[in-house]
C-alpha cells in the first residue's frame, strides 16, 4: 500500500531503520539492513580515491515513459554502456558488529559512505567489462533518490525523459492490469512524475520528450550526444534487440524487442485526461 511505503521511507530517512513484516528475512535468516538515513549522506571525502566511475549518466524518468527505448539507443553508441535497470540505490551495507562499525568510523566511513563505495564499484565493474567509456543508468525509481545520486557522484550527468502523463498512466495500467486499476495506476505513476519534476527543479540536465524521440529519433539522439559531448552515431537508430528484456528490469514488450524505433501512441484527447494528472500535464506543457 502507498501509505505503508510512505511511512517506511520516512522512517528510513530519519532513523535509518525500516519496518518489516514479521518473519521477513533473506535466505540466510538475517534481516537486511535499511539503506542509510539521509542524515548520513555526504559527498565523497576524496573523489579521486573514493570514486572509480567518472561522469556517469542517469536517465531520470517515470515508469512507462520510454526509458528502455532510450537506453537501448544510447547503448548502441560505441562509447556508452547502458545496461538493464540495476537498482543500485537499494544495495545496502550492514556493519554486523559494533566493532566493524567502530573500525569503519576510524577510517572516516559511515554507512552511507560505504554504500556509495559499493554502488560505485558495481557500476564501474559493469562499465569496465563493457569496454566502453561511460555508463548510463535508467532505473525509474532513481528519481526518488536523485539527491543522493547527485551527492554520491558530483560529476553525474542527468537526462530527464518525459512523456504525456495520461499515456504513462495508461501504459502503467496495461503493464499489470491485475495489480492496479486505471485510477490506481494514475496515482502510482504520478508519484514518479512528481519525483522527476523535483529532480528537474534541483539539477542541471537535458530534458527529452518521448513523443519527440519516437517522432524524430535522429534529432533527439543528436541533442543527447551533444549534451554528453560524444559524437552522434547512426547505429543508435537501429539499436537491435536489448540483451536483457525482462519485467522488473525494463520494458519487455514486443515494441522494444523489434530493435528499431516504433511510433508512439497517439496523444490522449484532453477531455479524457484524469483530473489528478491535469496539473502535471500543465507543468510539462501537455496542457495549456
Amino acid at each position: 500500500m502507498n501509505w505503508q511505503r510512505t511511512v517506511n521511507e520516512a522512517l528510513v530517512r530519519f532513523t535509518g531503520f525500516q519496518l518489516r513484516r514479521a518473519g521477513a528475512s533473506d535466505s540466510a535468516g538475517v534481516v537486511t539492513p535499511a539503506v542509510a538515513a539521509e542524515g548520513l549522506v555526504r559527498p565523497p571525502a576524496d573523489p579521486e580515491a573514493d570514486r572509480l566511475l567518472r561522469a556517469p549518466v542517469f536517465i531520470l524518468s517515470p515508469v512507462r515513459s520510454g526509458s528502455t527505448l532510450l537506453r537501448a539507443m544510447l547503448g548502441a553508441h560505441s562509447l556508452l554502456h547502458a545496461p538493464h535497470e540495476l537498482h543500485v540505490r537499494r544495495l545496502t551495507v550492514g556493519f554486523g558488529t559494533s566493532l566493524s562499525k567502530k573500525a569503519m568510523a576510524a577510517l572516516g566511513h559511515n554507512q552511507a559512505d560505504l554504500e556509495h563505495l559499493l554502488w560505485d564499484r558495481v557500476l564501474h565493474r559493469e562499465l569496465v567489462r563493457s569496454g566502453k567509456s561511460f555508463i548510463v543508468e535508467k532505473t525509474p525509481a532513481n528519481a526518488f533518490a536523485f539527491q543522493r545520486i547527485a551527492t554520491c557522484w558530483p560529476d553525474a550527468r542527468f537526462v530527464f525523459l518525459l512523456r504525456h502523463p495520461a499515456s504513462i498512466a495508461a501504459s502503467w495500467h496495461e503493464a499489470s492490469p491485475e495489480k492496479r486499476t486505471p485510477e490506481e495506476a494514475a496515482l502510482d505513476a504520478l508519484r514518479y512524475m512528481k519525483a522527476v519534476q523535483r529532480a528537474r527543479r534541483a539539477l542541471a540536465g537535458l530534458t527529452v520528450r518521448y513523443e519527440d524521440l519516437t517522432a524524430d529519433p535522429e534529432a533527439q539522439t543528436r541533442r543527447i550526444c551533444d549534451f554528453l559531448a560524444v559524437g552522434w552515431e547512426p547505429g543508435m537508430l537501429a539499436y537491435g534487440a536489448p540483451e536483457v528484456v525482462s519485467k522488473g528490469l525494463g520494458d519487455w514488450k514486443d515494441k522494444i524487442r523489434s530493435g528499431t524505433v516504433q511510433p508512439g501512441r497517439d496523444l490522449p484527447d484532453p477531455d479524457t485526461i484524469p483530473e489528478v494528472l491535469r496539473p502535471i500535464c500543465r507543468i510539462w506543457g501537455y496542457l495549456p
Side-chain angles (χ1 to χ4, degrees):
M1 292 184 179
N2 289 340
W3 70 267
Q4 291 173 322
R5 183 187 300 113
T6 300
V7 169
N8 222 10
E9 288 176 352
L11 188 64
V12 169
R13 185 179 306 116
F14 292 109
T15 71
F17 297 97
Q18 64 180 340
L19 297 174
R20 293 174 61 87
R21 184 175 299 165
S25 62
D26 63 19
S27 58
V30 179
V31 174
T32 303
V35 176
E38 288 297 327
L40 299 178
V41 177
R42 56 194 180 186
D46 184 349
E48 289 301 314
D50 294 348
R51 297 292 178 269
L52 298 175
L53 202 61
R54 302 300 176 204
V57 180
F58 290 88
I59 299 171
L60 297 184
S61 68
V63 291
R64 309 303 301 171
S65 57
S67 61
T68 299
L69 171 63
L70 181 54
R71 77 97 168 165
M73 298 174 77
L74 296 182
H77 194 286
S78 62
L79 297 180
L80 304 175
H81 179 50
H84 60 78
E85 295 171 12
L86 298 179
H87 299 270
V88 291
R89 80 180 187 97
R90 290 301 189 187
L91 298 180
T92 64
V93 170
F95 291 106
T97 68
S98 59
L99 284 177
S100 65
K101 184 174 183 179
K102 182 178 181 180
M104 290 300 100
L107 295 178
H109 302 313
N110 64 27
Q111 182 186 349
D113 297 333
L114 295 172
E115 287 173 353
H116 289 172
L117 291 172
L118 172 61
W119 299 357
D120 184 74
R121 184 67 181 88
V122 169
L123 293 185
H124 182 261
R125 178 182 184 273
E126 180 62 23
L127 178 61
V128 168
R129 295 185 72 202
S130 76
K132 296 188 178 184
S133 300
F134 303 103
I135 198 163
V136 179
E137 220 293 276
K138 53 84 58 181
T139 306
N142 282 341
F144 297 108
F146 72 86
Q147 293 170 311
R148 185 158 183 190
I149 289 170
T151 302
C152 177
W153 291 284
D155 61 348
R157 295 169 293 174
F158 297 93
V159 175
F160 307 107
L161 179 61
L162 309 185
R163 185 183 185 185
H164 194 297
S167 297
I168 291 174
S171 182
W172 192 222
H173 166 65
E174 292 162 5
S176 298
E178 74 286 353
K179 281 188 176 181
R180 53 186 82 89
T181 65
E183 294 75 20
E184 290 169 338
L187 287 171
D188 194 40
L190 183 59
R191 297 188 306 112
Y192 289 85
M193 300 178 213
K194 289 181 175 179
V196 170
Q197 184 57 24
R198 288 193 293 269
R200 292 181 69 211
R201 287 197 299 262
L203 303 173
L206 177 71
T207 295
V208 176
R209 294 180 184 273
Y210 171 78
E211 294 84 4
D212 296 337
L213 183 66
T214 54
D216 193 348
E218 179 174 339
Q220 295 306 309
T221 50
R222 284 185 180 276
R223 287 182 64 227
I224 297 170
C225 287
D226 288 345
F227 173 69
L228 299 180
V230 299
W232 183 79
E233 296 179 358
M236 301 171 73
L237 304 183
Y239 54 84
E243 292 182 4
V244 177
V245 183
S246 175
K247 191 171 184 178
L249 300 180
D251 195 359
W252 69 101
K253 301 293 187 179
D254 289 339
K255 269 191 178 183
I256 197 66
R257 294 177 188 272
S258 70
T260 57
V261 181
Q262 301 295 310
R265 71 172 74 198
D266 292 337
L267 291 181
D269 185 319
D271 293 335
T272 68
I273 298 173
E275 190 64 34
V276 70
L277 297 179
R278 299 184 81 83
I280 195 71
C281 285
R282 295 189 183 94
I283 292 171
W284 286 359
Y286 288 100
L287 282 178

